[in-house]
Amino acid sequence: DVEGVYTADPRKVPDARKLDEITYDEMLELASLGAQVLHNRSVELAKRYGIVLEVLSSYVRKPGTKVKEVARKVEENKISGIAKDTNVARVAVVGVPDAPGVAFRVFNEMAKKKINVDVILQSYGKNNTNDISFTVPLDDADAAEQALNDAKGAIGFDHVSLDKTVAKVSIIGAGMMSASGVAALMFEALSDAEINIHMISTSEIKVSVLIDEEMADLAVKAIHSKFFG
């Protein structure tokens, strides 16, 4: 129902731009971070066998967006797109002992329940304790909380806090590897829009932030304006 891959969801960001080309890696990140354009499995197969994909509209006969190994003009754009994911919850394990093996015990409980963990943050608490926060898919939130509470005695934490009213907003771009100040621009956009950041996660070609769900659309627009306005 779209003519290609856009810098943001054109239904939410009216001035979103259609990309002529995008790399497999960028498309994989976009697909896994909430952009509902291509299933990430299709991109994985195309990348494995070197098949160029073209994302086209089913209704309009116009050139679309080519997904390939190397995209032209990557260096001109620091980022290629912005994605939003509201299918996420934040789990905070408060008051875990500051001792070796505790993080393993926390995330081993998630592994045993086959719950995927994404953004992770450990912060210092009080009296030789830490707080460990992480995100899980929204559908797994209750199971994650239950698994941790069942193992409370073995892990030795104070309590679990669950927040289902969060969203993950991400910027993606292969150009980020050779450009400085990309994360700062994103954070400046969020600051100007008075949006508080709960957690941050980075890789070579993406920066993700966890924010209040009600601010997600505003965040996407603010970041898009900062990079493409």
Side-chain angles (χ1 to χ4, degrees):
D1 61 347
V2 290
E3 295 177 14
V5 181
Y6 285 76
T7 50
D9 186 344
R11 294 166 296 187
K12 300 290 187 181
V13 184
D15 58 344
R17 304 178 188 178
K18 189 182 75 175
L19 302 170
D20 293 328
E21 296 182 350
I22 190 170
T23 67
Y24 294 127
D25 290 339
E26 289 173 316
M27 191 66 243
L28 277 170
E29 290 284 7
L30 279 170
S32 63
L33 291 168
Q36 298 172 343
V37 181
L38 286 175
H39 193 287
N40 54 359
R41 181 66 176 149
S42 67
V43 186
E44 289 172 359
L45 288 168
K47 176 179 171 65
R48 180 182 299 176
Y49 295 105
I51 299 168
V52 177
L53 296 178
E54 186 167 6
V55 183
L56 299 159
S57 169
S58 299
Y59 310 105
V60 182
R61 295 180 65 86
K62 287 184 178 181
T65 302
K66 290 183 178 178
V67 186
K68 53 200 293 191
E69 186 64 42
V70 179
R72 296 194 309 268
K73 300 181 180 179
V74 167
E75 67 281 354
E76 294 182 12
N77 297 319
K78 292 181 179 180
I79 69 169
S80 295
I82 305 159
K84 176 192 74 173
D85 185 5
T86 56
N87 183 33
V88 62
R90 179 178 63 169
V91 180
V93 189
V94 180
V96 299
D98 184 15
V102 172
F104 162 70
R105 290 196 288 273
V106 168
F107 293 110
N108 189 48
E109 293 302 319
M110 299 300 98
K112 286 192 289 188
K113 297 293 184 181
K114 294 182 169 56
I115 297 173
N116 185 45
V117 174
D118 188 15
V119 184
I120 301 172
L121 174 68
Q122 178 171 305
S123 56
Y124 289 106
K126 300 177 180 178
N127 302 321
N128 295 318
T129 64
N130 296 324
D131 299 337
I132 298 177
S133 301
F134 55 92
T135 61
V136 298
L138 191 58
D139 291 343
D140 293 329
D142 291 332
E145 181 181 33
Q146 185 63 52
L148 288 166
N149 281 324
D150 289 346
K152 184 175 181 179
I155 299 172
F157 59 85
D158 185 70
H159 68 277
V160 176
S161 174
L162 184 62
D163 187 354
K164 298 181 180 180
T165 61
V166 294
K168 182 169 60 176
V169 174
S170 308
I171 58 173
I172 299 95
M176 291 167 59
M177 290 187 285
S178 57
S180 60
V182 176
L185 273 177
M186 180 186 192
F187 302 150
E188 182 182 22
L190 295 172
S191 173
D192 291 344
E194 298 184 347
I195 297 172
N196 189 43
I197 300 171
H198 301 308
M199 300 171 73
I200 302 169
S201 172
T202 65
S203 75
E204 284 188 331
I205 65 169
K206 78 168 173 70
V207 179
S208 297
V209 295
L210 198 72
I211 60 175
D212 291 335
E213 184 178 6
E214 63 184 16
M215 306 298 285
D217 287 339
L218 175 61
V220 172
K221 290 176 183 177
I223 295 167
H224 192 276
S225 178
K226 179 66 70 174
F227 283 95
F228 298 102

